[in-house]
């Protein structure tokens, strides 16, 4: 019996990961023969562990917290979007034995907003909360959609301004503190902070949503996040969590590995149902 191609997600922690469920659904849907598992990698041992995986015939890895920078350093070749983000969430073995690194987070976010939710991004005034690795991964693809303006707000203003400067060749982008948001108004707010994981909320002023504003939390869970509840209370036109982004970025990884793009909508629904089970 022929053995299946091996794939995995590397992280620490990783027990909670939905990636095995998602990629199993993709494989069943597309008729691909593969095995995908979640693997907790010890801190400081990423390069060693990933090297062993590929030397033993592994075909591809997804990378989650806290190893995206390690994966960036590990890859032999980088996509333009991975180089711009300074982080890698997808590693793929090439025919010549080299390792290709990509970052699919941003395209996953854009596809979920545009294709699944039907949100218009071109010409919109966009506010992004946070200036960490999650935000760094989405700004390039987001700016390529042609928003009128992107403002990155962060508790540490220097970090927001530095991040904006890194991406300013791609579009109109600036950085500020949360205090600097007073008086502004936005058509789309993206929460890229981890505040929702602790039941917290960034310090946002009232009346910063336009009349048809959308609000997107990159986190997800069985219940609406504190950010989503805040946005609904501020009369946002539409709110969403980041589950669709998770599935869409996984689909992009799957396509890089297998050369076929799965249908994401039934998989988003499958994972959504499993969250509330």
């Amino acid at each position: 019996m022929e053995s299946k191609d091996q794939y995995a997600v590397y992280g620490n922690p990783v027990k909670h990961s939905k990636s095995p469920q998602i990629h199993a659904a993709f494989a069943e849907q597309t008729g691909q023969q593969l095995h995908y598992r979640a693997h907790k990698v010890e801190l400081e041992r990423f390069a060693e562990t990933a090297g062993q995986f590929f030397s033993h015939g592994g075909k591809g890895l997804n990378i989650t917290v806290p190893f995206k920078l390690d994966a960036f350093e590990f890859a032999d070749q980088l996509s333009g979007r991975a180089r711009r983000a300074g982080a890698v969430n997808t590693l793929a073995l090439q025919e010549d034995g080299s390792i290709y690194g990509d970052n699919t987070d941003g395209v996953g976010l854009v596809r979920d907003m545009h294709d699944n939710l039907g949100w218009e991004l071109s010409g919109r005034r966009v506010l992004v909360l946070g200036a960490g690795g999650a935000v760094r991964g989405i700004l390039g693809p987001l700016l390529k959609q042609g928003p009128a303006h992107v403002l990155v707000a962060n508790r540490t203003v220097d970090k927001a301004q530095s991040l904006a400067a890194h991406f300013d060749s791609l579009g109109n982008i600036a950085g500020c503190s949360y205090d600097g948001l007073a008086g502004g108004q936005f058509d789309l707010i993206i929460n890229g902070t981890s505040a929702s994981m602790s039941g917290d909320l960034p310090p946002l002023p009232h009346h910063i949503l336009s009349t048809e504003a959308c609000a997107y939390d990159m986190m997800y869970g069985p219940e609406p996040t504190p950010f989503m509840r805040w946005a609904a209370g501020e009369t946002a036109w539409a709110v969403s969590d980041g589950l669709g982004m998770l599935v869409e970025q996984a689909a992009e990884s799957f396509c890089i590995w297998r050369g076929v793009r799965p249908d994401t909508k039934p998989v988003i629904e499958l994972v959504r149902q499993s969250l509330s089970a």
Side-chain angles (χ1 to χ4, degrees):
M1 183 176 176
E2 187 177 350
S3 61
K4 295 181 178 180
D5 289 343
Q6 298 295 307
Y7 297 87
V9 56
Y10 276 13
N12 186 340
V14 77
K15 186 178 181 180
H16 66 286
S17 176
K18 295 294 182 182
S19 293
Q21 179 188 18
I22 292 168
H23 285 279
F26 287 164
E28 181 178 7
Q29 180 193 115
T30 59
Q32 298 288 306
Q33 297 298 310
L34 59 86
H35 181 262
Y36 188 109
R37 66 190 178 97
H39 183 77
K40 180 181 177 182
V41 177
E42 297 303 317
L43 302 179
E44 312 300 331
R45 293 192 62 188
F46 176 84
E48 175 189 351
T49 308
Q52 291 173 349
F53 174 83
F54 285 111
S55 68
H56 287 86
K59 299 294 187 181
L61 290 172
N62 282 136
I63 312 300
T64 188
V65 176
F67 297 117
K68 292 184 181 183
L69 184 57
D70 299 88
F72 181 88
E73 300 293 339
F74 181 83
D76 300 311
Q77 307 161 40
L78 294 166
S79 69
R81 58 195 180 193
R83 192 174 292 108
R84 175 75 68 169
V88 160
N89 77 335
T90 303
L91 293 171
L93 179 68
Q94 305 296 282
E95 289 187 4
D96 63 1
S98 64
I99 305 299
Y100 172 76
D102 202 349
N103 190 312
T104 66
D105 286 332
V107 71
L109 173 85
V110 168
R111 284 206 179 110
D112 188 37
M113 288 183 176
H114 189 271
D115 298 351
N116 299 329
L117 300 171
W119 295 1
E120 182 59 55
L121 300 175
S122 176
R124 308 291 272 177
R125 297 166 296 177
V126 180
L127 171 62
V128 180
L129 308 176
V135 168
R136 193 179 183 94
I138 68 167
L139 286 178
L142 183 64
L143 284 163
K144 288 185 177 180
Q145 296 301 301
H149 179 69
V150 174
L151 185 61
V152 178
N154 192 58
R155 293 182 189 275
T156 307
V157 65
D158 290 352
K159 194 171 183 182
Q161 292 172 339
S162 175
L163 190 59
H166 182 74
F167 286 92
D168 64 5
S169 64
L170 297 181
N172 186 0
I173 183 171
C176 73
S177 66
Y178 287 121
D179 290 339
L181 294 175
Q185 199 165 62
F186 302 91
D187 307 308
L188 170 62
I189 302 184
I190 301 170
N191 182 22
T193 74
S194 59
S196 291
M197 295 179 69
S198 57
D200 202 0
L201 184 70
L204 299 172
H206 292 294
H207 312 303
I208 61 173
L209 303 183
S210 68
T211 55
E212 293 187 353
C214 300
Y216 192 96
D217 197 333
M218 290 169 62
M219 298 293 149
Y220 66 92
E223 302 292 336
T225 67
F227 172 77
M228 292 169 67
R229 292 196 296 269
W230 168 85
E234 291 283 317
T235 65
W237 175 71
V239 297
S240 178
D241 67 7
L243 179 59
M245 173 184 171
L246 174 72
V247 176
E248 292 292 347
Q249 64 81 24
E252 183 75 2
S253 296
F254 191 89
C255 189
I256 290 167
W257 295 331
R258 309 300 293 185
V260 59
R261 181 171 298 283
D263 181 6
T264 53
K265 289 185 179 179
V267 181
I268 292 171
E269 183 59 31
L270 176 72
V271 180
R272 179 76 67 196
Q273 290 174 358
S274 75
L275 288 177
S276 56

